Amino acid sequence: MAKPLRILQVMRAPVGGLFRHVADLTRALAANGHAVGLVVDSLANDAQTESKLAELLPHASLGIHRFAMPRVLGGGDLKTPFAVRKLARSLDIDVMHGHGAKGGFYARLALLGGGKAVALYTPHGGVLHFSRSSLSGRVFHLLERWLMARTGAVVFESAYAQATYAALIGAPTCPTEVIHNGLAPDEFVPMVPEPDAADFVFVGELRELKGIHVLAEALVGVKRADGTPANLVMAGDGPSRGEFEAQIARLGLGERITLLGAQPARPTFARGRIAVVPSLAESLPYVVLEAAAARLPVITTNVGGIPEIFGPTAASLVPSGDAVALGAAMQGVLDDPDAAEAEMLARLAHIESRFSLATMTDGIEALYQAVLARG
């Protein structure tokens, strides 16, 4: 077995899929005998954030360290890389792994001036979401090209992210590897729907990018086999909630859509029989993986890395932003549950073989060792 490593995971705000990935990776690496520390933003420290970090602390033997990381370019960007470099040297770090645009920025800038550590970078959407037409987008893309010489490897969570990065920024001059996000064994335990479960369940942020307005329109004409209107339960909150509630009222869906507020994904899946993820854009969404692993039929859109998750069932993906197509897909699953079950099982077999936490961790750990071996 290779020697244990001292690893610093660097990210900005511990929220969403990026944090889920870093938390899973931290726990798995610690279980494999490595010493792991985290660098996070001191500016994002609400109660929910602190609770998540507190849960992770027992697995972070090198501690959790906070520095100012402004969301857009700001004063903290001139100081924090030097503070991270000082921390890395004091902790005798072998591997700096930056996650997201800012995390990748700091992890690689911290290597200025030398040192034994190597830097890896996982975009997680991050820089891929910056438009070329915006000033911040142009600056981040320029920084990406400049920092390539200080990057030991770029880890992409999907082939989609790899292709998008190359199109926006140019083909990386350092090694790259696609390593999909993975799920823990207990996430593949079948989820049994509650007796009064809704027909459909949505888990995600209530914002335009998640396709919630398209979902409401799609639901209008969807009916069960007995002719009664189908219903939907939704877990999540976000900036578009007020506007979405107004749309629900306007469409007369008040009795058919239940908003639960922010809730954990897996328990919420028991509140519905069919998962719907109508996103307009994604990278490699955990919610699609989680719903499929819980053995729910999943209706979702042909965006980002979702076709990689769907594998042999990708033909059932619907165009994003198309309420008619989404409604037809929802109606189709209600009309033919046996076909939906067969498709779910085919998708489950694909995910079990390619999207496990063990496969993800082994791939990243091997890449760390390979980059260190190259010096």
Side-chain angles (χ1 to χ4, degrees):
M1 177 181 173
K3 76 177 183 74
L5 301 177
R6 299 176 68 80
I7 304 160
L8 203 56
Q9 306 282 349
V10 186
M11 60 182 168
R12 197 183 73 82
V15 295
L18 187 156
F19 178 69
R20 159 73 197 263
H21 172 83
V22 173
D24 285 349
L25 184 58
T26 296
R27 291 185 177 97
L29 289 170
N32 286 353
H34 302 292
V36 186
L38 274 71
V39 170
V40 300
D41 181 17
S42 62
L43 305 176
N45 54 358
D46 56 46
Q48 186 177 16
T49 295
E50 291 304 315
S51 174
K52 289 181 178 180
L53 292 174
E55 291 176 4
L56 196 55
L57 185 57
H59 307 277
S61 61
L62 299 182
I64 297 177
H65 309 270
R66 294 165 172 82
F67 300 99
M69 298 183 184
R71 182 176 179 84
V72 295
L73 292 171
D77 296 320
L78 301 176
K79 300 177 182 179
T80 297
F82 299 101
V84 174
R85 180 178 68 181
K86 182 178 179 181
L87 174 68
R89 291 179 175 178
S90 70
L91 293 175
D92 194 28
I93 294 298
D94 299 304
V95 175
M96 305 275 289
H97 191 163
H99 298 267
K102 277 299 180 80
F105 177 59
Y106 294 131
R108 292 174 290 175
L109 275 183
L111 299 188
L112 288 173
K116 73 166 190 173
V118 297
L120 288 84
Y121 169 46
T122 302
H124 291 284
V127 71
L128 308 180
H129 291 161
F130 286 105
S131 169
R132 284 175 171 167
S133 63
S134 70
L135 176 61
S136 59
R138 291 194 297 272
V139 169
F140 269 110
H141 293 165
L142 180 64
L143 285 171
E144 282 295 315
R145 289 187 281 271
W146 178 67
L147 288 170
M148 196 61 66
R150 294 170 175 80
T151 309
V154 181
V155 184
F156 293 102
E157 60 189 355
S158 66
Y160 160 79
Q162 185 181 48
T164 303
Y165 186 97
L168 279 174
I169 296 156
T173 56
C174 68
T176 67
E177 192 162 338
V178 175
I179 302 176
H180 290 124
N181 296 333
L183 301 180
D186 60 359
E187 293 179 276
F188 287 93
V189 175
M191 179 61 69
V192 179
E194 296 176 358
D196 61 345
D199 299 297
F200 300 99
V201 57
F202 166 93
V203 179
E205 283 188 275
L206 299 186
R207 60 185 179 114
E208 181 68 30
L209 197 65
K210 295 301 181 181
I212 56 174
H213 302 297
V214 180
L215 176 56
E217 291 180 26
L219 181 67
V220 171
V222 179
K223 297 181 179 179
R224 306 184 185 106
D226 62 4
T228 57
N231 60 356
L232 164 70
V233 63
M234 303 181 69
D237 212 336
S240 299
R241 178 162 184 155
E243 181 184 346
F244 185 55
E245 288 175 332
Q247 182 189 21
I248 291 172
R250 187 171 63 251
L251 294 174
L253 297 173
E255 298 298 317
R256 297 174 59 190
I257 296 180
T258 301
L259 300 180
L260 301 175
Q263 300 288 334
R266 185 166 172 83
T268 303
F269 292 143
R271 303 286 298 271
R273 300 181 186 279
I274 303 159
V276 187
V277 185
S279 300
L280 305 184
E282 288 286 359
S283 180
L284 193 79
Y286 269 107
V287 68
V288 174
L289 285 170
E290 292 167 334
R295 305 199 180 195
L296 271 70
V298 182
I299 299 168
T300 187
T301 49
N302 189 10
V303 297
I306 293 178
E308 295 167 57
I309 298 174
F310 263 49
T313 66
S316 68
L317 293 170
V318 300
S320 65
D322 188 333
V324 173
L326 182 62
M330 294 165 71
Q331 188 65 61
V333 174
L334 288 181
D335 290 345
D336 195 345
D338 290 339
E341 175 83 2
E343 180 179 307
M344 177 276 291
L345 291 173
R347 186 178 307 124
L348 178 67
H350 172 73
I351 291 172
E352 285 179 323
S353 66
R354 292 168 173 81
F355 293 86
S356 73
L357 180 55
T359 298
M360 180 191 86
T361 305
D362 288 349
I364 292 175
E365 191 174 352
L367 188 57
Y368 287 168
Q369 299 286 3
V371 173
L372 283 166
R374 288 196 300 268

